[in-house]
């Protein structure tokens, strides 16, 4: 491969893959792109990207191959027919998946002579290449360091160690926090909307209240790591469990569903019934062990 050839290939030009390729082009990287639906590459080619007609051509074109497809099934469908061209390549798979899927993909890549980094993108496409974006990576540190100058184009690179499953673990954990927050916010909006309050009027109050909760993760994590939910309790579980039925009753009064909040209610009741009412709500995590 000569210095004149593209140095990065991007497989997958959905909303995210397109944003990644745009960021590479904007920073002067010679970039080859491939997508199952070929015409999605047209705007990138107009901006200077090289078009690969096949996934194999894209893999051959660059030592660093960024993969951003819908899910691991699509990654397997795209890569599996091209094991003969993987040797010597570094695959950076930014497709959402589980830690187990990432570890199996890393082993599969190694079997075919490719280095492998798994990644999780903590950004939506418009955030790529802005200071707001951070991306999680795991896999061999040498491979990460070698790839880092390119990866830093997408956003801050956060390296989580050599176990390839760590990026997916942290990605899904952070997204779990996000979805929990969105669930609560949707319930809040449904409540005020049912009473005729414009949600745009309510949103600033909700943002302020969510901001007030910003210290919760650090305090909860202290208790969880100690396994002691009795320290520094200011809002004990029994009190919270006594108030929680009001959310169900209010939902009934307002004619809206309680299904988003119901699961926490049953966990709180079980924890109180087990004798932990004087402790913090954080202790509910003990009921999540299987
Ligand atoms: N968008 C976000 O906000 C965001 C944020 C963080 C992480 N992510 C992750 O980034 C990845 C891509 O997301 P996206 O937003 O780009 O999704 P998207 O816009 O729906 O694009 C999906 C991409 O996967 C391709 N694809 C799907 N099935 C395929 C198959 N069987 N064979 C070949 N190609 C296939 C699509 O090709 P076609 O164009 O041919 O359909 C397209 O390139 C996902 O894992 C997502 O979870 C997304």
């Amino acid at each position: 491969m000569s210095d004149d050839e593209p140095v990065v290939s991007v497989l997958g030009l959905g909303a995210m893959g397109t944003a990644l390729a745009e960021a590479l082009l904007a920073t002067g990287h010679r970039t080859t792109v491939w997508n199952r639906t070929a015409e999605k590459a047209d705007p990138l080619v107009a901006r200077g990207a090289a078009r690969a007609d096949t996934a194999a051509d894209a893999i051959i074109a660059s030592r660093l191959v960024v993969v951003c497809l819908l899910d691991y099934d699509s990654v397997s469908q795209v890569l599996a027919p091209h094991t003969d061209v993987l040797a010597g390549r570094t695959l950076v798979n930014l497709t959402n998946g589980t830690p187990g899927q990432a570890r199996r993909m890393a082993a599969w890549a190694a079997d075919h002579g490719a280095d492998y980094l798994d990644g999780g993108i903590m950004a939506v496409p418009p955030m790529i290449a802005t200071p707001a974006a951070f991306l999680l990576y795991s896999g061999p540190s040498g491979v990460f360091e070698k790839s880092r100058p390119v990866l830093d184009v997408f956003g801050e690179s956060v390296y989580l160690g050599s176990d390839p499953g760590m990026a997916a673990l942290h990605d899904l954990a952070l997204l779990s926090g996000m979805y929990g927050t969105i669930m609560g916010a949707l319930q809040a909006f449904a409540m005020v909307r049912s009473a005729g309050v414009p949600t745009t009027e309510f949103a600033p109050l909700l943002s302020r209240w969510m901001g007030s909760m910003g210290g919760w993760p650090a305090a909860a994590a202290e208790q969880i790591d100690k396994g002691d939910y009795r320290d520094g309790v200011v809002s004990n579980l029994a009190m919270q469990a006594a108030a929680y039925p009001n959310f169900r009753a209010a939902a009934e009064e307002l004619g809206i569903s309680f299904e988003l909040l119901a699961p926490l209610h049953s966990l709180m009741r079980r924890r109180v019934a087990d004798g932990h009412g004087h402790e913090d709500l954080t202790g509910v995590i003990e009921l999540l062990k299987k």
Side-chain angles (χ1 to χ4, degrees):
M1 190 172 301
S2 86
D3 284 348
D4 296 322
E5 285 179 284
V7 294
V8 191
S9 290
V10 179
L11 299 184
L13 301 174
M16 186 54 85
T18 296
L20 300 174
E22 281 171 350
L24 291 168
L25 290 171
T27 46
H29 290 80
R30 293 192 303 278
T31 305
T32 293
V33 293
W34 173 84
N35 194 59
R36 177 181 63 177
T37 307
E39 58 265 29
K40 283 195 190 166
D42 293 350
L44 292 162
V45 171
R47 292 183 56 184
R51 184 195 306 274
D53 290 330
T54 65
D57 288 345
I59 296 166
I60 291 165
S62 309
R63 291 205 189 283
L64 187 61
V65 178
V66 174
V67 183
C68 189
L69 296 166
L70 183 64
D71 54 19
Y72 269 70
D73 282 347
S74 39
V75 175
S76 295
Q77 282 169 29
V78 168
L79 295 183
H82 307 303
T83 50
D84 53 327
V85 293
L86 289 177
R89 299 293 178 267
T90 295
L91 295 177
V92 180
N93 185 15
L94 300 179
T95 304
N96 186 275
T98 71
Q101 285 176 317
R103 291 183 189 118
R104 287 190 290 278
M105 188 64 73
W108 178 86
D111 283 346
H112 299 290
D115 289 329
Y116 183 85
L117 288 176
D118 204 81
I121 305 173
M122 305 318 299
V124 292
M127 286 162 63
I128 292 299
T130 73
F134 66 101
L135 289 85
L136 312 170
Y137 295 100
S138 55
S141 61
V143 177
F144 172 70
E145 287 306 333
K146 195 176 62 177
S147 312
R148 185 169 195 162
V150 172
L151 302 181
D152 281 348
V153 165
F154 303 141
E156 184 187 346
S157 303
V158 178
Y159 178 63
L160 295 168
S162 59
D163 173 354
M166 280 294 129
L169 175 74
H170 285 71
D171 183 10
L172 293 184
L174 290 172
L175 293 178
S176 298
M178 178 191 81
Y179 281 120
T181 303
I182 288 175
M183 280 163 55
L186 284 174
Q187 185 72 12
F189 281 136
M191 290 175 78
V192 298
R193 185 178 69 170
S194 74
V197 177
T199 55
T200 44
E201 247 175 46
F202 176 70
L205 279 177
L206 182 58
S207 291
R208 180 176 174 179
W209 180 237
M210 285 175 157
S212 305
M213 298 290 114
W216 186 85
E222 288 274 339
Q223 293 177 324
I224 293 166
D225 281 355
K226 281 188 205 148
D228 184 348
Y229 308 104
R230 296 165 301 180
D231 263 4
V233 177
V234 289
S235 309
N236 72 62
L237 178 61
M239 174 279 290
Q240 295 197 55
Y244 212 85
N246 293 332
F247 297 112
R248 183 188 291 275
E252 277 165 19
E253 283 176 18
L254 297 168
I256 63 169
S257 170
F258 186 60
E259 62 199 304
L260 282 174
L261 297 191
L264 182 59
H265 193 195
S266 61
L267 289 165
M268 286 166 98
R269 281 189 300 206
R270 274 169 57 198
R271 187 77 180 155
V272 171
D274 290 346
H276 299 283
H278 58 295
E279 298 180 0
D280 224 322
L281 172 63
T282 322
V284 161
I285 194 172
E286 297 302 331
L287 297 178
L288 303 183
K289 286 178 185 161
K290 272 190 161 179

